[in-house]
Amino acid sequence: MSQRNTDRTIHARNITYLSFFFLALFSFSSCKTSVAPQTEFVLGTVCTINLYDKGTQAVYAEIFDRLREIEAILSANRDDTNIALINSNAGQTATAAKPETLYVLSAALRYSEKTNGRFDPTIGPLVKLWNIGTEYAAVPSQEDISMRLALINYRNVKIDEKAQTVFLTKPGMKIDLGAIAKGYAADQIAEIIEKYHISRAIVDLGGNILAIGEKKPGVPWKIGIRDPETEKGGSILALDIRNEAVVTSGVYERYFIENGKRYHHILDPATGFPVENGLLSVSIISPKSIDADALSTSVFLLGENAGARFIETLPDTDAIFIDQNRKVYVTSGLMGRIEVLDERFKLSGELN
Ligand code: ADP
Ligand code: MG
């Protein structure tokens, strides 16, 4: 798939006059100038971009190039990235960090401070131990969990802004930005889209949604919130949004079942186990996708009450909580913007 896209990119760049010619011809013949929405597997997930009536092959190519570039810097699942290098130098030396690494890691550490360390980008050793989302996923021994827990502490990440370096103070420490990198990536794509003055678009990075503009003048986009009980569930809620990100963290995204028990991918740095607090999913609605992404994981870790209190302190930010009793709670800003589509789920009002 990526080879094909590279070919497309070269094609688009070298023969732009030809594409303009075809576009002009196309619009003349059918009044339809747009290129269909495009989907690729990047950042470990299925990414779909829809630029609606303004999509051109060149803009789609630039967007997917940027997504691949971000993956090549921030992924913790490849051994050739900036994050992998920082991790392999843990306990030894400070590593030159890319601007993307410094920006996303600094943002992640701010969420660690705000959540008292529940959100912790040094969760890497535990993520690797559990292997959730891979065929090797299994419940580890308590001994292995305890050994990894000793390595997890966001305070042991030393960023030197002046020298542009990152140092992990203990050998074996590993950064994992899986809870925030897709959010950052969506914001970067929004910048490209704005640069081309495209006023209507949907960026969907594996369910991390960023809506640009409105569906039509005066009409918001309607975004579905998934049934968190099933892996490929339909929408159980519809939500009106304009110029906002909607990011969901849920127990259904990456998990495995052992002896009848579900183990999902959001790990509590206090216990080393997937967090269990009765929540099935948390969706965050906020202007910037990096915040929505970090907050969906953070608030999931904090639980309904502390999570809702935290959200109410943040401007232009709201949350939807769905719990194991099929109760749906929303923060105050969402009243009137949400519709229940599946009557098995009950809107139980506001949380404070
Ligand atoms: P997804 O990436 O599936 O959309 P999230 O944004 O909620 O879901 O991120 C979950 C990912 O975050 C995990 O797969 C793991 O890489 C990482 N992670 C797990 N636990 C924590 C934690 N306590 N703090 C920060 N990141 C975490
Ligand atoms: Mg997240």
Side-chain angles (χ1 to χ4, degrees):
M1 197 192 272
S2 85
Q3 183 56 46
R4 234 185 345 159
N5 193 270
T6 311
D7 292 347
R8 278 205 307 262
T9 311
I10 293 164
H11 180 83
R13 282 192 185 146
N14 289 353
I15 329 175
T16 30
Y17 70 90
L18 203 59
S19 23
F20 277 128
F21 171 74
F22 279 126
L23 268 176
L25 195 70
F26 208 59
S27 61
F28 186 70
S29 61
S30 69
C31 293
K32 192 178 168 209
T33 54
S34 62
V35 174
Q38 293 192 3
T39 299
E40 282 193 37
F41 193 85
V42 206
L43 294 165
T45 194
V46 178
C47 299
T48 300
I49 312 293
N50 194 339
L51 303 175
Y52 289 85
D53 34 343
K54 292 280 187 62
T56 67
Q57 195 51 56
V59 180
Y60 279 115
E62 186 172 333
I63 287 171
F64 283 104
D65 281 351
R66 182 66 180 138
L67 290 177
R68 279 188 291 272
E69 194 173 38
I70 291 169
E71 177 188 298
I73 297 167
L74 298 182
S75 174
N77 300 320
R78 290 168 46 163
D79 52 19
D80 58 349
T81 65
N82 194 209
I83 293 298
L85 188 58
I86 291 167
N87 290 346
S88 69
N89 288 337
Q92 297 168 43
T93 57
T95 306
K98 299 270 189 193
E100 289 88 343
T101 302
L102 292 171
Y103 181 85
V104 180
L105 186 57
S106 305
L109 295 174
R110 284 196 294 276
Y111 282 101
S112 300
E113 291 285 351
K114 288 180 187 158
T115 61
N116 243 328
R118 306 301 286 279
F119 183 97
D120 191 327
T122 68
I123 199 81
L126 270 178
V127 174
K128 291 266 188 281
L129 178 67
W130 280 88
N131 276 310
I132 296 175
T134 77
E135 58 186 305
Y136 307 106
V139 180
S141 70
Q142 186 56 55
E143 195 189 347
D144 279 343
I145 287 180
S146 302
M147 267 165 48
R148 300 305 200 287
L149 278 175
L151 297 170
I152 292 159
N153 188 344
Y154 70 95
R155 292 191 176 87
N156 293 334
V157 178
K158 304 296 173 199
I159 295 183
D160 185 333
E161 286 288 347
K162 216 160 158 217
Q164 306 251 295
T165 60
V166 174
F167 178 47
L168 308 180
T169 64
K170 284 192 180 185
M173 279 181 75
K174 283 185 187 2
I175 291 168
D176 179 321
L177 297 172
I180 189 170
K182 275 182 285 170
Y184 167 73
D187 289 334
Q188 289 288 295
I189 299 320
E191 283 190 16
I192 297 175
I193 292 171
E194 275 151 32
K195 184 175 80 182
Y196 289 103
H197 307 292
I198 296 172
S199 54
R200 253 166 31 99
I202 296 282
V203 175
D204 176 352
L205 308 184
N208 278 35
I209 308 286
L210 181 61
I212 290 162
E214 303 183 292
K215 190 170 180 211
K216 285 189 266 185
V219 179
W221 299 102
K222 253 195 202 313
I223 299 293
I225 302 292
R226 272 179 52 171
D227 178 355
E229 291 182 339
T230 51
E231 203 166 341
K232 290 203 163 39
S235 296
I236 62 154
L237 303 171
L239 172 71
D240 291 345
I241 59 165
R242 299 176 157 91
N243 278 318
E244 277 166 315
V246 181
V247 178
T248 301
S249 287
V251 298
Y252 56 84
E253 282 175 57
R254 287 169 215 244
Y255 69 91
F256 67 100
I257 294 185
E258 197 173 293
N259 295 327
K261 193 171 158 56
R262 181 200 289 253
Y263 297 90
H264 65 81
H265 70 321
I266 301 175
L267 303 170
D268 187 344
T271 63
F273 277 79
V275 63
E276 279 187 69
N277 54 20
L279 283 174
L280 296 185
S281 75
V282 173
S283 305
I284 303 289
I285 299 89
S286 75
K288 280 182 78 186
S289 179
I290 189 169
D291 296 318
D293 196 6
L295 282 168
S296 69
T297 315
S298 296
V299 167
F300 196 105
L301 284 153
L302 290 172
E304 263 172 15
N305 291 314
R309 279 199 301 274
F310 179 34
I311 291 298
E312 296 287 9
T313 67
L314 305 172
D316 303 321
T317 306
D318 280 288
I320 303 168
F321 301 79
I322 304 176
D323 74 14
Q324 61 194 12
N325 300 319
R326 295 187 179 145
K327 292 218 164 81
V328 179
Y329 298 93
V330 300
T331 52
S332 52
L334 291 181
M335 287 300 170
R337 291 172 58 188
I338 198 160
E339 184 191 345
V340 180
L341 304 174
D342 181 333
E343 60 191 22
R344 293 173 309 144
F345 290 82
K346 298 278 176 242
L347 194 56
S348 297
E350 273 181 49
L351 272 173
N352 286 303

